[in-house]
Amino acid sequence: MSTLLYRIGRVAYRRAWLVLVSWVLLLAAALGGGLALGGQTEEAFSIPGTESQEALDQLHELFPAVAGASAQAVVVAPEGSSVTDAGIRAEIDDLAADLARVDGVEAVLGPFDEFADGQVSDDERVAIVQVQLAGTSEEVGESTLDALIATGDDRASRVEFAGQVFQDTTVGITASEVVGLLVAGLVLVVTFGSLAAAGMPLVTALIGVGIVMGGILALAAAMPVSSSAPLLALMIGLAVGIDYALFIVSRHRTQLGRGMDPAESAAVAVGTAGSAVVFAGLTVIIALLGLLVVGIPFLSVMGVGAAFAVLVAIAGAVTLLPALLGLAGSRLVPRTGSRAWRRAQPEAEHARTMGRRWVRGVMKRPVLTTVAVVAVLGTLSIPTFSLDLNLPDGGNEPAGSTQREAYDLIADAFGPGTAGPLLVTADITQTTDILDDLAGIRSELERVDGVASVSPGIPSPGLELAIFRVAPETAPDDPATKVVVAELRDAAAGIEADFGTPLSVTGTTAVGIDISTRLTNALVPFVLIVMGLSILLLMAVFRSVLVPVKAALGFLLTVGTGLGVSVAVFQWGWGAELLHTEAGPILSFMPIILMAVLFGLAMDYEVFLVSGMREEYVRTGDARAAIEDGFAHGARVVTAAALIMFFVFAAFVPEGSNLIKPIALGLAVGIAVDAFVVRMTLGPAIMTLLGRRAWWFPRALERAMPDLDVEGERLRHHREHTLWAAEQGDAVVVADRLELQGADAVLSLRAHAGDRVALVADPVTRRIAAATLAGYLPALGGRALVAGAVLPSEAGRASRRVSLVDLGGDRLAATATAGELVAERLALAPRAARRGGSSGGSSGRWLDRLATLAERHGSTVSPITAGEPVSALPVPARALLLAAVATIDGTPVLVLDGSDGALAPADVDAIDAVVQALAGPDVVRIWGVAPETAHDLDPSDELALLLDTALSTSEAPR
């Protein structure tokens, strides 16, 4: 991965304007498309497969008049008056008539109409006018809502409006978010000591967030998107976008301070720090996409949107950022003698920095530190066990909004359950006495504990269903309401037995309870999945068993603390007024989103701190010194990254929406605790207690786990090999002690343009050597240069520079003809590589040219015709054809081999001359030769090369 990112960074640096313009065009297209499509977010929560959702879907199909969007006009009589007074009653009738005339209103039911029930409060001061709208909540336009609200203007009585259609689903940015961004910029300036360097992470993050917001708005035009989805994506996109760029720019500035060329430094920074960024980002994406398995559509959309924000942040960090570094060029080099320059010098690595002093203090008392951290974080996690999950209702709307005012009025005048009634549906297709049965069912429902009132059953127009509005005694978000729903469902079995009418409990409140229940049940499996994933990923990164286990257990403390603080504030109300919020249940999907995001961010800090420790341990073998040095190297950048994330997340708490506040606070607390307490305090303490055991890794796991190379070890080797390759002059093929896999041999050779090389070994070893030079088989050690490609890091490139030729043709189909073989290769080869009169793709002309060249160079092979089967050709003719066809690809290196003793030396010489005539004088030919035919070679050598008639034997291990 690191080598690939190194190349991407180099290309982006050199083509900075092209990359920058591409990103700006993408930003314009995303924002323009999203705004043009006019997507609107909503809060239509659904949960397929549950009783409440299935009943709601059935209502939409059979009883659309009650399943569509609705609203309530809440009328409050003036002080000292009653809604039953003649004047007030006339005003309510007039209000109902005005409401009925609004476009988009299908029906209006006044409190004094014939079929009205329970729409006047007991003290007769409050009345409710029910309004049924056409279509669903998302289909109701702003003009309709404005017209509804306008009907309440200039009335003697107070009029407020309730209903899901009035929920504020706009995505707004408040001053606190801007302040958070400014504070993040200040942290960057202090970190880098440069305005230019500090501005680059902000630019990449803002461009990425703009693209994400445009994409989510476009998605909202095609499918339901929760209003919290873009805010969550905005929050996460800003945080990770700034942090990921910070890690790369920090590495770049350090390398510039040590004198590295700016272009090379940018590429190396993307290859090393960028590898950790990609790993950390992918863990966040995997965790967020894990929300798909919960099976709740709105939550899936939130997870996908947030994952998209992280993906764009990763892409910006490894492409847009190096382009910006390219535009800045050498202007980012720290000034000699400046603080940034001094920090970059090698001698500063052992300076007594604050990070080094902190870790030394932790390492002096590891047991006390561990116990203290676990005790404190464990105490802060205690409120988590009181977690009560629910979805938002009208009571969660901002204070002063018409929906919140109406909700409070209904709750006070009619009881809290009336503000969020349950709908009970009854299948009446099998009953013969509908009215009596509905009255009996109503009586049974009224007997259920916790039920305040039940409306008369209303049958659908087709007499398939009937609905009852059931008002619990408690508010929709009260835990007791969940008990009422459970008891209603328990009572349904007895009612069905008595009346033959299956019942279902649905409505917005029931759907919210079902969603909360499913999410609560999904928490433990989700934690286990995330924990298991974290352990496996970190095993692959650190080549250790105990370090990943330590990281995962620390993650549990982080999540527990974040949830505990959120419960104490938003559920218990501790300090809620300071955050402009009120006590109530925790948002249903908050815990699972919190775990998903914190998991990836925690692994981010773990990688940047512990990878430095591992690097020092591998280099020195001193476990204790490795902890101190590794921590000191990474502490500063991790501190800056954590502060930035904390301020970005915390900025959404004071003035953010009620949906996003608990998530923002949980993430802000979780980030601070994870970075400064778990990773930078508890982590070094446990590593000190473990000592060398921290790096224990069984051999079986070593072989089974992939090496992700997050530390950039392969990139370091690639750069060393590239520098070595540049020193090889005009050599085309150079092998420097290339250890062959499965051959117990080491290959060394040097070939220039036009050289003919004899590879002398047994057939198996020759094939292994050829496959290794062509990049198909990895070498166990050593290095090689093959026509500009460096092995082992550029194996794919090497495979395109080498053609392996089996002169025996054993793998060809028995019926394949010479003309078919030539035509196929001509069709596949690049036009510029076709040689030998192949223009026009004529295999016949190509074979004629081959016959002419063969005769010119002394071959005794008869001319080959297009219709002859290749397998039927004499051995010399078949070898000539196959070798010549290989030149069509235009590769600068050919490796030719066949059965030992199949070709006479004269045939080999003639074929070699024809190959050089077809491929050009600069082509390098490597011929496989049996040891017994190489008379000047010592038979005891397992591998040897004859280069331009000068014998050169390689070193082979015995």
Side-chain angles (χ1 to χ4, degrees):
M1 180 192 296
S2 57
T3 306
L4 173 63
L5 292 175
Y6 169 82
R7 294 181 186 133
I8 292 174
R10 179 174 285 273
V11 171
Y13 186 96
R14 291 178 173 175
R15 301 182 180 179
W17 280 112
L18 176 61
V19 174
L20 180 59
V21 170
S22 299
W23 273 91
V24 172
L25 290 176
L26 182 59
L27 172 64
L31 284 177
L35 295 174
L37 290 172
Q40 294 290 325
T41 60
E42 59 182 81
E43 294 305 344
F45 301 109
S46 63
I47 180 167
T50 60
E51 175 185 321
S52 58
Q53 189 62 46
E54 289 175 353
L56 205 58
D57 294 340
Q58 191 178 36
L59 279 176
H60 277 288
E61 181 180 353
L62 301 177
F63 208 165
V66 298
S70 63
Q72 298 84 39
V74 183
V75 182
V76 183
E79 192 69 30
S81 302
S82 167
V83 294
T84 59
D85 294 345
I88 304 299
R89 180 166 179 168
E91 188 176 53
I92 293 174
D93 291 340
D94 183 57
L95 172 65
D98 289 345
L99 288 170
R101 285 191 288 269
V102 174
D103 288 338
V105 173
E106 286 196 341
V108 175
L109 182 65
F112 307 108
D113 292 351
E114 179 182 357
F115 297 103
D117 180 73
Q119 292 177 224
V120 178
S121 63
D122 292 339
D123 61 4
E124 297 184 347
R125 292 208 62 246
V126 180
I128 299 175
V129 180
Q130 298 285 356
V131 181
Q132 193 64 42
L133 301 170
T136 59
S137 298
E138 58 269 20
E139 294 170 346
V140 177
E142 288 293 330
S143 60
T144 299
L145 299 180
D146 292 340
L148 288 175
I149 295 174
T151 61
D153 295 340
D154 301 324
R155 305 279 182 184
S157 301
R158 176 186 175 188
V159 181
E160 302 289 350
F161 290 86
Q164 189 174 349
V165 290
F166 291 101
Q167 284 185 329
D168 183 13
T169 59
T170 57
V171 180
I173 305 299
T174 65
S176 63
E177 282 92 59
V178 177
V179 171
L181 200 60
L182 293 176
V183 173
L186 180 61
V187 172
L188 289 170
V189 171
V190 173
T191 301
F192 294 128
S194 164
L195 286 174
M200 290 181 181
L202 292 174
V203 171
T204 56
L206 289 173
I207 290 178
V209 163
I211 293 172
V212 171
M213 297 301 284
I216 292 178
L217 288 177
L219 183 66
M223 62 186 300
V225 175
S226 167
S227 63
S228 55
L231 285 176
L232 180 67
L234 171 66
M235 185 170 59
I236 293 175
L238 277 177
V240 300
I242 295 173
D243 263 18
Y244 292 168
L246 164 67
F247 289 127
I248 295 175
V249 174
S250 177
R251 179 67 64 91
H252 178 60
R253 289 265 291 174
T254 299
Q255 293 167 169
L256 289 178
R258 295 181 178 181
M260 187 179 290
D261 174 72
E264 182 69 9
S265 175
V268 171
V270 173
T272 52
S275 295
V277 162
V278 171
F279 167 77
L282 289 178
T283 58
V284 181
I285 290 173
I286 291 171
L288 288 169
L289 293 181
L291 299 175
L292 294 171
V293 304
V294 180
I296 299 177
F298 78 87
L299 190 60
S300 299
V301 172
M302 290 179 66
V304 171
F308 178 54
V310 178
L311 181 63
V312 172
I314 295 172
V318 300
T319 57
L320 176 59
L321 180 61
L324 295 176
L325 297 177
L327 295 178
S330 59
R331 291 191 295 274
L332 291 182
V333 177
R335 189 177 65 257
T336 303
S338 66
R339 186 179 62 174
W341 181 86
R342 292 195 302 272
R343 283 198 302 255
Q345 304 312 304
E347 55 268 20
E349 292 183 358
H350 300 286
R352 289 179 55 83
T353 61
M354 182 180 295
R356 189 176 293 276
R357 290 195 296 270
W358 175 265
V359 75
R360 283 178 179 174
V362 169
M363 294 172 67
K364 284 181 180 179
R365 299 174 180 85
V367 176
L368 177 62
T369 301
T370 301
V371 172
V373 168
V374 172
V376 171
L377 297 187
T379 301
L380 291 174
S381 300
I382 290 175
T384 303
F385 297 100
S386 301
L387 190 64
D388 178 28
L389 302 179
N390 218 319
L391 285 177
D393 51 31
N396 298 107
E397 289 297 303
S401 64
T402 186
Q403 186 183 8
R404 175 62 180 274
E405 294 292 326
Y407 178 91
D408 291 341
L409 287 170
I410 293 173
D412 292 340
F414 296 90
T418 309
L422 302 169
L423 289 181
V424 176
T425 65
D427 182 349
I428 57 175
T429 55
Q430 303 302 315
T431 183
T432 57
D433 191 354
I434 295 178
L435 295 180
D436 287 344
D437 285 351
L438 292 181
I441 294 172
R442 181 187 184 188
S443 298
E444 293 295 328
L445 294 175
E446 288 175 333
R447 293 192 182 98
V448 174
D449 290 339
V451 171
S453 64
V454 180
S455 70
I458 303 174
S460 64
L463 302 181
E464 302 98 345
L465 288 176
I467 65 163
F468 301 86
R469 292 184 182 272
V470 179
E473 295 176 350
T474 50
D477 59 2
D478 194 303
T481 304
K482 298 178 182 179
V483 178
V484 174
V485 171
E487 293 190 358
L488 284 172
R489 287 171 174 167
D490 291 339
I495 294 174
E496 180 180 358
D498 293 339
F499 297 93
T501 53
L503 300 184
S504 297
V505 181
T506 185
T508 303
T509 301
V511 170
I513 290 172
D514 286 347
I515 291 176
S516 301
T517 301
R518 177 174 290 189
L519 285 170
T520 302
N521 294 336
L523 281 179
V524 173
F526 189 80
V527 168
L528 293 177
I529 291 173
V530 169
M531 292 276 289
L533 179 63
S534 68
I535 291 174
L536 290 176
L537 287 175
L538 290 178
M539 278 185 182
V541 172
F542 297 131
R543 324 308 289 176
S544 166
V545 173
L546 297 179
V547 170
V549 171
K550 180 265 301 180
L553 294 177
F555 170 64
L556 282 181
L557 289 173
T558 297
V559 170
T561 304
L563 285 176
V565 172
S566 296
V567 169
V569 173
F570 292 98
Q571 187 174 314
W572 294 355
W574 293 1
E577 65 280 357
L578 298 177
L579 303 180
H580 304 148
T581 189
E582 299 174 19
I586 297 295
L587 195 64
S588 298
F589 47 83
M590 179 268 192
I592 205 163
I593 287 181
L594 185 75
M595 286 188 288
V597 177
L598 280 181
F599 163 66
L601 300 181
M603 296 308 104
D604 194 347
Y605 301 141
E606 183 77 11
V607 167
F608 273 91
L609 284 173
V610 181
S611 60
M613 298 178 189
R614 172 171 170 75
E615 185 177 349
E616 290 296 323
Y617 176 74
V618 170
R619 185 174 65 87
T620 65
D622 187 338
R624 188 176 181 87
I627 297 171
E628 180 180 325
D629 292 339
F631 183 93
H633 292 164
R636 183 171 162 273
V637 68
V638 169
T639 298
L643 286 175
I644 289 171
M645 282 210 179
F646 172 80
F647 286 120
V648 169
F649 289 145
F652 284 83
V653 178
E655 302 297 338
S657 71
N658 289 332
L659 281 175
I660 212 71
K661 279 185 179 184
I663 299 176
L665 180 65
L667 288 175
V669 172
I671 288 297
V673 167
D674 190 80
F676 300 121
V677 182
V678 174
R679 308 300 159 191
M680 300 179 72
T681 305
L682 180 63
I686 294 178
M687 295 285 285
T688 303
L689 294 174
L690 293 175
R692 298 177 63 90
R693 295 186 297 275
W695 305 110
W696 171 73
F697 201 52
R699 291 185 178 179
L701 287 177
E702 181 73 46
R703 293 189 297 268
M705 300 294 290
D707 186 0
L708 299 179
D709 191 31
V710 173
E711 298 151 4
E713 187 69 16
R714 292 177 189 165
L715 175 59
R716 184 175 64 80
H717 291 156
H718 169 73
R719 295 181 63 233
E720 292 174 352
H721 295 167
T722 301
L723 293 174
W724 165 80
E727 299 171 353
Q728 303 310 308
D730 58 355
V732 177
V733 180
V734 181
D736 180 21
R737 300 183 61 80
L738 204 61
E739 298 180 26
L740 304 182
Q741 186 177 143
D744 194 28
V746 178
L747 173 62
S748 294
L749 71 88
R750 186 181 192 86
H752 295 80
D755 282 347
R756 172 179 170 181
V757 179
L759 180 60
V760 184
D762 62 88
V764 173
T765 302
R766 295 200 304 265
R767 290 189 180 92
I768 293 174
T772 303
L773 285 175
Y776 296 118
L777 192 64
L780 297 177
R783 54 192 176 181
L785 171 67
V786 181
V790 178
L791 292 176
S793 59
E794 297 181 329
R797 189 179 175 198
S799 66
R800 296 188 293 272
R801 307 295 177 89
V802 179
S803 292
L804 302 181
V805 186
D806 179 10
L807 298 176
D810 298 332
R811 299 181 181 180
L812 291 175
T815 58
T817 65
E820 292 171 346
L821 179 62
V822 173
E824 180 183 0
R825 293 299 283 268
L826 287 173
L828 296 176
R831 183 176 298 275
R834 299 174 188 170
R835 302 179 184 275
S838 60
S839 60
S842 170
S843 57
R845 289 199 301 272
W846 193 92
L847 288 171
D848 291 341
R849 174 76 189 283
L850 175 61
T852 301
L853 290 175
E855 182 179 3
R856 181 183 303 167
H857 291 285
S859 174
T860 58
V861 173
S862 301
I864 302 170
T865 62
E868 289 184 82
V870 178
S871 59
L873 293 173
V875 172
R878 185 163 65 247
L880 174 65
L881 174 64
L882 295 172
V885 166
T887 65
I888 295 176
D889 293 334
T891 56
V893 180
L894 294 174
V895 181
L896 308 101
D897 204 350
S899 301
D900 290 348
L903 295 174
D907 292 328
V908 172
D909 292 341
I911 293 173
D912 185 74
V914 171
V915 165
Q916 195 167 21
L918 287 170
D922 292 338
V923 67
V924 174
R925 293 95 57 216
I926 301 177
W927 284 86
V929 177
E932 57 269 19
T933 62
H935 303 297
D936 296 330
L937 181 66
D938 183 356
S940 65
D941 285 324
E942 295 181 15
L943 185 66
L945 293 172
L946 187 64
L947 177 59
D948 288 340
T949 71
L951 185 66
S952 171
T953 60
S954 74
E955 299 179 25
R958 296 290 182 256

